[in-house]
Amino acid sequence: MFTIVRDLIRYNIEFAIGLLILLLLIGAVVLSFFSPYPAADIYVVPPDMPPDAEFWLGTTSRGQDTFWQLMIGLRNTLGFGVGVAFLSRILSLVVGLTAGYAGGRTDRVLMAINDSIMVIPQFPILVLFYFVLKDNMNWLMLVLILSALGWSYDARLIRSIAMSLRTRPFTMQSVYSGMSMRKILVEEHLPYVMPIVFATTMNNMIWSIGMEITLSVLGFTDVDTPTMGQMIYWANSHSALISGIWWWVAAPVGAIVILFVGLFLLSMSMNEYIDPRSRLNRMGN
């Protein structure tokens, strides 16, 4: 894995830029733990102060320091994306590898479930969950729901690779040597799909964070948990742009754009790395 990262940094400028952006955002996440103000407290600083030497990104109409709210919001938003990506990657790996290797009835049953999940209209379902759960629609519940909806496309991709690996000589040798199905999938097939898992992880994070921001801006999540979407929600509630408090909106929107650009560059560079022709062209240049 270290060799792959080293080659990507050396030969792919998009990966290097995306990695730098991600490291800067992780630094912001670490910085959020040193916030002098509790995340949910309001009116701890003078409201509606423009950016200056004391308040780098100004303050909000709720009396919160925009800079520290942004750091905490980034932490929660990134944590949300990582949580959804981690759980959905486990589901996609289990379903994809098992279906592709086992074949037959197992494959048909798993793919029937997979395709049923794939055609579900996700946003209306999320809105329905909100109206059903109401106050129970917290951050953790949203992670679980999005994880249950966000694995099907990648499971089908992993299945196609597993079907190819099933016919390789090393797989036959593993079967003849008495290795169990679990050991073959984990020790033999999993390393081949890890670059694809990494690329799809970036795509899944973009999707899940985008969903969370959309739901938060509409007020369909826990409004007391600071995230990028919640910052925009409260700014809209207080008519920040109309009142001239532009920094309250500009800070989270700018952070979201930077986050999405970083994740997109990482995903795009990994997709190029997976394609041997693109990788050879990069190294040749």
Side-chain angles (χ1 to χ4, degrees):
M1 190 66 183
F2 175 77
T3 303
I4 294 175
V5 173
R6 183 194 63 193
D7 291 342
L8 283 169
I9 294 175
R10 181 180 301 176
Y11 299 111
N12 196 308
I13 186 64
E14 290 88 354
F15 182 86
I17 295 173
L19 183 61
L20 177 61
I21 292 174
L22 188 60
L23 290 175
L24 291 174
L25 294 175
I26 292 174
V29 170
V30 174
L31 186 62
S32 70
F33 290 101
F34 299 94
S35 172
Y37 313 109
D41 285 8
I42 59 177
Y43 298 108
V44 294
V45 295
D48 299 338
M49 297 292 293
D52 57 20
E54 183 178 3
F55 304 110
W56 294 351
L57 296 179
T59 65
T60 71
S61 297
R62 306 178 77 224
Q64 296 172 312
D65 190 319
T66 308
F67 174 81
W68 290 112
Q69 281 291 299
L70 184 67
M71 298 299 104
I72 296 170
L74 271 173
R75 181 183 72 197
N76 291 333
T77 296
L78 270 176
F80 179 88
V82 170
V84 173
F86 177 76
L87 293 177
S88 60
R89 292 318 84 193
I90 292 177
L91 287 171
S92 62
L93 279 170
V94 170
V95 173
L97 289 176
T98 303
Y101 178 81
R105 181 177 297 176
T106 301
D107 181 31
R108 290 194 296 272
V109 170
L110 289 176
M111 285 302 99
I113 297 172
N114 183 89
D115 294 344
S116 299
I117 297 293
M118 191 179 295
V119 299
I120 291 176
Q122 295 170 345
F123 186 74
I125 288 294
L126 290 171
V127 174
L128 177 63
F129 269 113
Y130 169 76
F131 284 109
V132 171
L133 296 173
K134 289 293 184 178
D135 294 336
N136 293 322
M137 188 66 164
N138 54 28
W139 189 84
L140 178 60
M141 184 61 67
L142 190 57
V143 167
L144 295 175
I145 294 172
L146 284 176
S147 299
L149 295 174
W151 58 271
S152 56
Y153 288 95
D154 302 329
R156 182 166 281 280
L157 177 61
I158 293 170
R159 168 184 172 267
S160 66
I161 299 172
M163 291 177 68
S164 172
L165 294 174
R166 182 179 59 185
T167 61
R168 301 283 183 87
F170 70 86
T171 301
M172 298 300 179
Q173 184 178 359
S174 300
V175 173
Y176 294 146
S177 66
M179 290 180 67
S180 65
M181 175 180 170
R182 181 187 63 81
K183 291 192 70 176
I184 292 173
L185 294 181
V186 173
E187 297 180 12
E188 301 293 338
H189 290 184
L190 182 61
Y192 284 88
V193 301
M194 285 309 295
I196 292 177
V197 169
F198 181 83
T200 58
T201 296
M202 300 299 107
N203 292 332
N204 186 266
M205 287 183 65
I206 293 173
W207 167 77
S208 61
I209 290 173
M211 279 291 190
E212 187 277 329
I213 290 172
T214 302
L215 292 170
S216 296
V217 170
L218 296 174
F220 291 161
T221 58
D222 180 12
V223 296
D224 294 323
T225 301
T227 63
M228 297 292 94
Q230 288 303 336
M231 287 189 69
I232 299 174
Y233 167 80
W234 285 114
N236 286 336
S237 298
H238 288 264
S239 303
L241 288 178
I242 297 175
S243 303
I245 313 172
W246 54 267
W247 53 88
W248 195 358
V249 177
V253 169
I256 291 167
V257 171
I258 293 172
L259 172 59
F260 279 11
V261 168
L263 293 175
F264 172 76
L265 290 175
L266 289 174
S267 175
M268 182 179 64
S269 57
M270 283 303 299
N271 286 330
E272 289 185 358
Y273 181 85
I274 294 168
D275 184 355
R277 292 171 298 180
S278 298
R279 185 162 71 249
L280 289 175
N281 290 336
R282 286 278 184 177
M283 292 182 176
N285 295 331

